[in-house]
Amino acid sequence: MLILAAADVRQALPMPDAIAAMREAFAALAGGRARVPMRGVLDVEPYAGTTLVMPSFLGGDGDATDDALAVKVVSVFPRNPSRGLPLIHAAVVVLEPDTGRVVALLEGGTLTAIRTGAASGLATDLLARSDARAVAMLGCGVPARTQLEAVCAVRDVGEVRVYGPTAAHVEEFIADVAGRERVPADLRAASRADEAVAHADIVCAATTSAEPVFDDGSVRPGTHINAIGSFQPDVREIPAATVLRAVVVVDDRAAALEEAGDLILPLREGLISATHIRADLGELVSGRASGRRSDDEVTLFKSVGVAVQDAAAARVALRRAEARGLGHRAALES
């Protein structure tokens, strides 16, 4: 069994390759070549945490060697950052598709952050205006880093404003990511979320907030929004008014209508219906649906995460890791 630690996963899964893997994963999902049951959700109420179990099978496009089978266990514990721990802990178990034999174990927090960022990168590539250059980054945790990296991989970003409730965390984020990969060197701290949004062509919301983090009035015509922070039915980052006037695209309709409070709450309030979702990413990738139709439209990509992303990302990471001699091997069987 090959074991990839966080550093190995980062080396084995560069963002451009991850975005390409997400394009393939969502095309497979739309084409019926993926099997993704609804994830198991366990609320760990005494500790205000949630543990998810996410299995998936990804069938190759006519080539059995491209099949992928994986199970991810991921825990989200909002109290962790105050204890000096990551918000998310996860592990991805990769299985041999034709036998079920365990072949690899990957540190899943890093893989999750990369593949989640890559999905937003893909959505940005499909939905944002081609001339989008200014980004508002709302949130400054680990997921925010890969969100920004992914957006900068698909657009020529020249201006980034970063907002977070804790100034020290914002400054740390800026110091960590400025000038890396295609991220511009000049990142600015915003004193308010609305300040960042008002100047943005692309907004990335990656917070743990239970309430909208900006006002709809701050959103300019033509803005594209990636919303990845909330994944529970009773919390939301995005104002209902923004959802109402946006072209909405999701990673998976069934999952979004089950888990995405950004959409479920406006549904409950009678502001939208399920048909307000124009498309999912697979439909856009395959050309079965259209996204942005004019430069003035506001587009919104809402992601709750789909397990097929993990299988696709793990497949790429394992191939690169084996080619580069990354990770180490451990015997699972005697």
Side-chain angles (χ1 to χ4, degrees):
M1 178 177 67
L2 182 63
I3 299 176
L4 299 184
D8 300 318
V9 174
R10 280 191 290 270
Q11 289 187 61
L13 194 57
M15 186 56 70
D17 288 11
I19 292 173
M22 294 307 100
R23 189 180 295 273
E24 183 177 348
F26 285 108
L29 192 60
R33 292 187 286 110
R35 297 291 178 267
V36 187
M38 289 299 293
R39 60 191 177 193
V41 180
L42 175 63
D43 291 325
V44 189
E45 295 178 359
Y47 303 102
T50 303
T51 293
L52 313 170
V53 180
M54 304 170 62
S56 63
F57 171 74
L58 174 61
D61 191 5
D63 185 348
T65 62
D66 285 336
D67 291 352
L69 179 62
V71 180
K72 183 172 75 174
V73 179
V74 55
S75 292
V76 184
F77 279 58
R79 296 175 185 172
N80 279 1
S82 65
R83 303 171 64 187
L85 297 172
L87 171 69
I88 296 172
H89 290 280
V92 177
V93 178
V94 180
L95 308 155
E96 195 171 59
D98 58 336
T99 68
R101 181 174 63 97
V102 175
V103 294
L105 177 66
L106 286 69
E107 193 281 316
T110 301
L111 183 138
T112 298
I114 294 172
R115 66 81 150 157
T116 302
S120 290
L122 175 60
T124 301
D125 197 30
L126 295 168
L127 292 168
R129 301 191 328 268
S130 59
D131 63 349
R133 296 190 71 252
V135 173
M137 187 65 249
L138 310 181
C140 48
V142 172
R145 287 161 167 76
T146 55
Q147 290 290 307
L148 183 56
E149 181 184 351
V151 167
C152 292
V154 300
R155 289 295 184 272
D156 185 16
V157 174
E159 176 183 324
V160 180
R161 287 178 168 84
V162 182
Y163 169 76
T166 305
H169 292 167
V170 172
E171 294 301 330
E172 180 182 354
F173 175 88
I174 290 173
D176 284 348
V177 304
R180 293 194 176 186
E181 302 297 334
R182 292 186 57 184
V183 177
D186 184 16
L187 272 63
R188 308 176 188 176
S191 59
R192 297 180 300 112
D194 287 322
E195 173 193 334
V197 172
H199 291 87
D201 303 313
I202 300 168
V203 176
C204 294
T207 77
T208 57
S209 176
E211 299 293 336
V213 292
F214 58 87
D215 292 329
D216 175 65
S218 301
V219 180
R220 301 188 300 182
T223 300
H224 171 65
I225 303 167
N226 296 311
I228 65 100
S230 64
F231 63 96
Q232 295 173 314
D234 294 317
V235 302
R236 55 180 161 189
E237 298 176 290
I238 309 303
T242 301
V243 175
L244 183 61
R245 69 181 173 113
V247 173
V248 177
V249 173
V250 297
D251 46 9
D252 180 78
R253 290 176 188 267
L257 292 173
E258 182 76 17
E259 300 175 350
D262 293 293
L263 303 179
I264 293 170
L265 293 174
L267 277 164
R268 288 178 186 169
E269 294 159 1
L271 298 175
I272 63 171
S273 67
T275 59
H276 189 68
I277 299 173
R278 177 176 291 181
D280 58 42
L281 275 186
E283 290 170 328
L284 294 189
V285 168
S286 64
R288 299 177 187 177
S290 61
R292 175 179 295 278
R293 295 172 180 170
S294 76
D295 284 348
D296 289 335
E297 283 186 314
V298 173
T299 55
L300 168 64
F301 171 58
K302 176 57 195 174
S303 172
V304 293
V306 184
V308 70
Q309 296 173 251
D310 302 309
R315 181 175 62 186
V316 171
L318 285 182
R319 286 175 177 173
R320 288 179 62 92
E322 290 172 349
R324 297 187 176 198
L326 299 172
H328 68 277
R329 293 195 174 274
L332 189 62
E333 300 171 350
S334 59

